[in-house]
Amino acid sequence: MTPPPVDPPPALSPDTPDAPRIRVAVEPTAAGTVLRLGGEIDMDTAHRLDTALRDALSDGGGRRPLALDMSEVTFCDSTGLNTLLRARQRALRRDIPLSITAVSEQVAHLLDLTRTGSLFGLPSSRDPGASDGPRHEP
């Protein structure tokens, strides 16, 4: 009697927990360190970002600037934003410049909506006189 055929293992998809939904590349440069981020930053992946940020802020023992390139981030929720804000606090305590140098449209919207982009050296796209809601003229 022959054994039944064995089904091949399922291919990893972005919804599979083992699939890397976030990409972090560390690039040392003459001016400091660049973290190139891509994919999704949410409650399931923020710990990987946090680890990379902690490593980059403690690496080398110097006060070399840390720049984040988030141009390939497709999603970032409040957990991701909190991870970035905590990293900013750690960087400030260590007197290490931390900035975001490039953002995707989704990240730009999040930072603009929460008015936190300026904390990372990004200009706000909001007009200072703009309101958060529709205006009703009398």
Side-chain angles (χ1 to χ4, degrees):
M1 185 164 153
T2 60
V6 176
D7 290 332
L12 291 179
S13 70
D15 295 332
T16 305
D18 294 337
R21 295 184 342 191
I22 183 174
R23 294 180 311 281
V24 180
V26 180
E27 294 181 17
T29 68
T33 302
V34 176
L35 286 186
R36 297 200 189 279
L37 308 173
E40 300 175 10
I41 305 171
D42 58 21
M43 62 185 273
D44 294 327
T45 61
H47 67 282
R48 289 192 58 209
L49 174 58
D50 187 58
T51 299
L53 288 165
R54 284 177 185 274
D55 290 348
L57 289 169
S58 64
D59 207 16
R63 290 188 169 91
R64 297 171 44 83
L66 176 59
L68 306 179
D69 178 339
M70 301 182 73
S71 59
E72 294 185 21
V73 173
T74 57
F75 179 79
C76 184
D77 68 3
S78 61
T79 306
L81 178 60
N82 280 323
T83 301
L84 294 171
L85 293 170
R86 281 193 312 273
R88 179 180 177 274
Q89 291 296 334
R90 285 192 300 270
L92 286 171
R93 284 193 300 269
R94 293 182 175 122
D95 199 27
I96 299 172
L98 172 65
S99 63
I100 297 176
T101 58
V103 295
S104 64
E105 187 174 319
Q106 197 278 335
V107 173
H109 179 71
L110 173 67
L111 295 175
D112 194 45
L113 186 65
T114 59
R115 297 182 179 176
T116 54
S118 63
L119 298 174
F120 298 97
L122 294 173
S124 174
S125 64
R126 287 183 185 261
D127 176 34
S131 71
D132 288 337
R135 284 195 177 173
H136 300 283
E137 298 296 326

